[in-house]
Amino acid sequence: MRPAFDEAEELSLLRGTMRRFVNDHMPRPEAARWDAESIFPVEVFRKLAALGVFGLSIPEEYGGAGRNIPATMIVIEELSRRGVAMSIPYVLAACYGGMNILECGNEDQKRALLPKCAAGELMLAFGVTEPDVGGDVASVKTTARRTGDVIKVNGTKRYITGANIADYIYTLVRSDDALPRYKNLSILLIPRTAKGVEIRKLDMLGLRSGAWTTEIIFDDVEVSVQNIVGGEAGWNEGWSYIAGPGLDVEKLEVGAIALGIAEAAVDDAWEYAETREQFGKPISNYQNIRHMLADARTDLHACRLMLYSAAGLAQAGRPCGIESSMAKLFICERAKQVVLNCQLIFGAYGCDLDLDMQRYVRDILILPIAGGSSAIQRNNLANRMRLRL
């Protein structure tokens, strides 16, 4: 399937490189095993790092290949066509690590951490959501109490992706109860192995890769003031970091994962329809099937245009909050319907645990919720476009 638009030559070359990597190092049986056994394929991850693609989110001065958000989305999209076992760890390093530290870290943190992110040697988990806090991010209850140069953290985070393999948890905390809402938040880099950090695996319907969905308990965890994202200037400035451009790009990351999964489902359903025979002819002869597949290709085309249009705005440093929310909302919702229709084309085979289609379904159902639910995106859009209350 050709791209939905004319990509720059270097982006098309990157897409071809990623497709060859997936074919050579992520065979279907292995991808199914990684999902079934929640495996993080470390050796494949190292081979991916050797391509240099982790540096696509990081400027050359910090050891990267040059900040290129559309290229980063291509890597996520193409890896996700074979499942999330590699695309989610890639996001933990290149995006949660590279993009967040680049945008929010102080110079010392950038010099120390970004070269490791660019090499695929450091990953961050995004520690925001809590048992009673989803979309209302500013209401986090995890506390950070500072005494001199030591900060003590207590609280619980839930539905945090990849904390079991991350080096740090990029943790939003309430750092001063005396200050007003939005002015009382900080972000800390909490080492996964710090004393008092307990990580529990949550058994989820989808996204069952080796980057687990987790609950994290912080019990009197102590970190240095050097672990404040942004340094001293970042204390009680966490809201400006969370609500900044990095969050807009996170929406695109989730959209790229959803798009990759939906593309894989359509490719499989297309091939199945041309080879599965009923009543003496391939089911691709039947109008209902033809229409479902034509609609699916149309939806994928629209999704690609929205994703890479918003990514282009982010790359140019232009405001893209509205466009990224639109892209996240549209792509995840349409991709979900595309995958469910592809499952219908497969019939009973679409529910067979030995085939990939059921994994596409399980994974896609999570994505309209992850990274800000569809309802939150609709609220964001109405608010940002100043719809009167």
Side-chain angles (χ1 to χ4, degrees):
M1 183 70 182
R2 63 180 176 85
F5 47 87
D6 290 333
E7 290 180 336
E9 182 180 3
E10 64 269 20
L11 295 180
S12 293
L13 290 173
L14 173 64
R15 191 179 292 278
T17 296
M18 294 311 305
R19 291 195 178 182
R20 287 190 295 274
F21 180 88
V22 169
N23 289 334
D24 292 344
H25 302 292
M26 300 172 62
R28 282 180 182 258
E30 284 296 279
R33 185 173 69 88
W34 299 334
D35 171 78
E37 301 177 18
S38 293
I39 291 173
F40 170 43
V42 177
E43 291 303 319
V44 180
F45 186 79
R46 290 172 179 161
K47 291 175 181 177
L48 180 65
L51 292 180
V53 293
F54 287 93
L56 290 170
S57 61
I58 298 169
E60 293 181 11
E61 64 181 297
Y62 297 113
R67 180 180 178 274
N68 191 324
I69 292 174
T72 303
M73 295 305 121
I74 285 174
V75 175
I76 297 169
E77 176 192 348
E78 293 299 331
L79 290 173
S80 298
R81 291 168 71 101
R82 192 52 55 85
V84 298
M86 197 54 49
S87 60
I88 287 179
Y90 176 79
V91 167
L92 298 183
C95 303
Y96 291 178
M99 289 186 181
N100 281 314
I101 297 302
L102 178 64
E103 180 183 338
C104 304
N106 62 16
E107 191 61 26
D108 288 343
Q109 290 164 346
K110 292 176 184 179
R111 296 288 176 191
L113 301 178
L114 289 179
K116 294 181 180 179
C117 292
E121 296 173 354
L122 187 140
M123 292 184 278
L124 268 59
F126 207 55
V128 176
T129 309
E130 298 183 354
D132 296 320
V133 176
D136 186 12
V137 171
S139 294
V140 293
K141 299 177 181 178
T142 298
T143 61
R145 297 294 176 257
R146 181 173 174 178
T147 304
D149 289 340
V150 176
I151 301 170
K152 185 174 290 187
V153 182
N154 284 279
T156 301
K157 299 292 182 179
R158 184 174 290 170
Y159 303 124
I160 308 304
T161 302
N164 62 303
I165 62 173
D167 298 278
Y168 293 97
I169 303 155
Y170 189 86
T171 309
L172 184 67
V173 296
R174 181 176 296 184
S175 47
D176 193 334
D177 287 334
L179 292 176
R181 181 177 170 88
Y182 303 118
K183 301 295 184 180
N184 61 350
L185 303 171
S186 300
I187 301 174
L188 301 176
L189 291 173
I190 301 180
R192 170 177 56 87
T193 56
K195 182 180 178 181
V197 175
E198 181 183 356
I199 298 173
R200 300 175 179 173
K201 180 182 179 183
L202 300 176
D203 196 19
M204 304 296 289
L205 171 72
L207 306 183
R208 299 174 62 89
S209 71
W212 302 343
T213 302
T214 68
E215 179 177 76
I216 310 170
I217 299 172
F218 302 111
D219 184 9
D220 284 342
V221 177
E222 294 186 354
V223 297
S224 166
V225 293
Q226 295 177 349
N227 292 61
I228 303 170
V229 173
E232 287 283 357
W235 189 248
N236 290 328
E237 290 296 326
W239 179 254
S240 64
Y241 294 163
I242 286 290
L247 190 60
D248 292 333
V249 176
E250 185 199 1
K251 298 167 191 171
L252 302 183
E253 297 154 15
V254 177
I257 292 173
L259 176 57
I261 292 170
E263 287 169 338
V266 172
D267 286 347
D268 286 4
W270 195 281
E271 180 180 2
Y272 181 83
E274 291 181 327
T275 56
R276 171 70 167 174
E277 291 192 0
Q278 290 290 281
F279 301 102
K281 55 186 177 181
I283 63 172
S284 58
N285 273 257
Y286 296 103
Q287 187 179 67
N288 183 49
I289 301 296
R290 298 177 71 81
H291 285 187
M292 290 172 73
L293 289 171
D295 286 345
R297 292 290 192 201
T298 303
D299 284 334
L300 292 183
H301 182 82
C303 288
R304 288 190 198 99
L305 291 174
M306 293 195 74
L307 174 64
Y308 289 100
S309 173
L313 291 175
Q315 175 66 17
R318 296 170 59 187
C320 62
I322 290 173
E323 291 81 2
S324 65
S325 282
M326 286 180 172
K328 202 279 179 183
L329 169 64
F330 184 85
I331 295 169
C332 289
E333 290 295 340
R334 292 315 306 160
K336 179 179 72 173
Q337 192 57 57
V338 164
V339 173
L340 291 175
N341 285 344
C342 289
Q343 185 188 38
L344 287 177
I345 291 171
F346 265 71
Y349 286 102
C351 302
D352 191 330
L353 293 180
D354 288 331
L355 299 180
D356 292 338
M357 186 59 67
Q358 53 80 29
R359 186 179 78 245
Y360 304 149
V361 171
R362 288 188 289 102
D363 286 349
I364 205 68
L365 291 175
I366 306 292
L367 296 175
I369 301 169
S373 70
S374 293
I376 289 292
Q377 302 310 323
R378 292 184 175 102
N379 286 341
N380 289 343
L381 289 167
N383 292 337
R384 291 195 179 203
M385 293 186 290
R386 303 183 185 279
L387 181 64
R388 189 172 68 181
L389 291 170

